[in-house]
Amino acid sequence: DAGITQSPRHKVTETGTPVTLRCHQTENHRYMYWYRQDPGHGLRLIHYSYGVKDTDKGEVSDGYSVSRSKTEDFLLTLESATSSQTSVYFCAIRGRDNEKLFFGSGTQLSVL
Amino acid sequence: QQQVKQSPQSLIVQKGGISIINCAYENTAFDYFPWYQQFPGKGPALLIAIRPDVSEKKEGRFTISFNKSAKQFSLHIMDSQPGDSATYFCAASITSGTYKYIFGTGTRLKVLA
């Protein structure tokens, strides 16, 4: 698992509430990514980071923000959760060979 | 130009048979084409990958065939086993700069015992 921990593993929340998902890595990788996985859509990039305080948007970034104040932590925040954000969220890191992505175990988020 | 189209959406194969999953891409700047395998409740894990300078790569029962001119690549699973039942994603990426990965929509494979 390349030292990736996602928390929480499961979360149920209500529409309109803020939610923060955490990705923690132990191997000092520079590049980190947040994806969401939905049936029929595969894995879609939300945001990514290429260093501390350096982040950029992916293809489905609306309604999400991220922060990376330390190399090891990449946070994904839903400022005001909506039902369309019910999904499985995966954090990933880029391997040192600059080719492979290594994924965490995911967070199942349900917005009711 | 950023899309990767994957087919079929689902596949059922008898044990011992060959499973074939296809992907097509548009952006000729892609230079790395991996396949990921995902079991229920787990994150995707890299299965096999290929660069466009070769037409085929084989690792055990898994083979990637790559057709650069057609902008297509496929995963072949020989002697498919029930333990291969999983969701498979193809992807394409550019291994420089910010290095975004583009994933296909996934194929759910079921291998019948």
Side-chain angles (χ1 to χ4, degrees):
Chain A
D1 64 356
I4 304 171
T5 303
Q6 289 187 235
S7 58
R9 289 297 313 277
H10 300 88
K11 186 169 181 66
V12 180
T13 191
E14 295 184 349
T15 299
T17 61
V19 177
T20 295
L21 309 182
R22 179 180 184 238
C23 179
H24 178 78
Q25 56 135 333
T26 59
E27 299 185 5
N28 205 34
H29 291 278
R30 179 181 175 191
Y31 291 87
M32 300 183 74
Y33 305 80
W34 276 108
Y35 285 88
R36 61 178 287 174
Q37 182 177 9
D38 304 286
H41 292 277
L43 293 150
R44 293 181 291 174
L45 182 65
I46 305 171
H47 280 279
Y48 62 98
S49 170
Y50 46 97
V52 173
K53 293 187 168 58
D54 291 323
T55 64
D56 204 349
K57 296 178 180 180
E59 59 183 308
V60 290
S61 59
D62 287 348
Y64 302 95
S65 62
V66 290
S67 66
R68 192 168 177 200
S69 58
K70 300 184 292 184
T71 298
E72 58 266 34
D73 289 326
F74 191 30
L75 304 181
L76 177 70
T77 297
L78 291 65
E79 300 290 347
S80 178
T82 68
S83 58
S84 64
Q85 293 175 312
T86 292
S87 185
V88 181
Y89 292 85
F90 286 101
C91 174
I93 60 172
R94 187 200 305 194
R96 300 196 193 286
D97 60 1
N98 278 340
E99 291 183 341
K100 304 177 183 67
L101 282 186
F102 296 95
F103 286 85
S105 298
T107 294
Q108 173 71 62
L109 176 67
S110 298
V111 183
L112 305 178
Chain B
Q1 266 213 327
Q2 292 294 322
Q3 279 189 320
V4 176
K5 296 182 179 179
Q6 183 172 347
S7 64
Q9 188 174 355
S10 62
L11 182 62
I12 299 175
V13 174
Q14 294 287 337
K15 179 182 176 181
I18 302 173
S19 304
I20 302 174
I21 305 171
N22 301 299
C23 283
Y25 63 98
E26 298 172 355
N27 189 345
T28 56
F30 290 137
D31 62 355
Y32 180 68
F33 300 88
W35 286 89
Y36 283 79
Q37 180 187 55
Q38 183 183 30
F39 294 105
K42 304 292 186 182
L46 179 67
L47 182 64
I48 187 173
I50 197 168
R51 288 269 188 177
D53 53 344
V54 297
S55 60
E56 185 175 282
K57 184 174 182 181
K58 184 176 181 179
E59 291 185 0
R61 296 184 294 108
F62 301 92
T63 299
I64 299 179
S65 296
F66 187 83
N67 186 329
K68 189 174 182 178
S69 61
K71 292 187 283 187
Q72 295 174 347
F73 59 110
S74 60
L75 175 69
H76 296 239
I77 306 175
M78 311 300 288
D79 187 25
S80 298
Q81 299 297 313
D84 297 329
S85 298
T87 299
Y88 293 82
F89 293 96
C90 63
S93 79
I94 302 170
T95 58
S96 61
T98 53
Y99 193 70
K100 296 179 188 177
Y101 253 68
I102 305 296
F103 284 88
T105 51
T107 296
R108 182 172 291 184
L109 171 66
K110 184 171 185 177
V111 182
L112 302 177

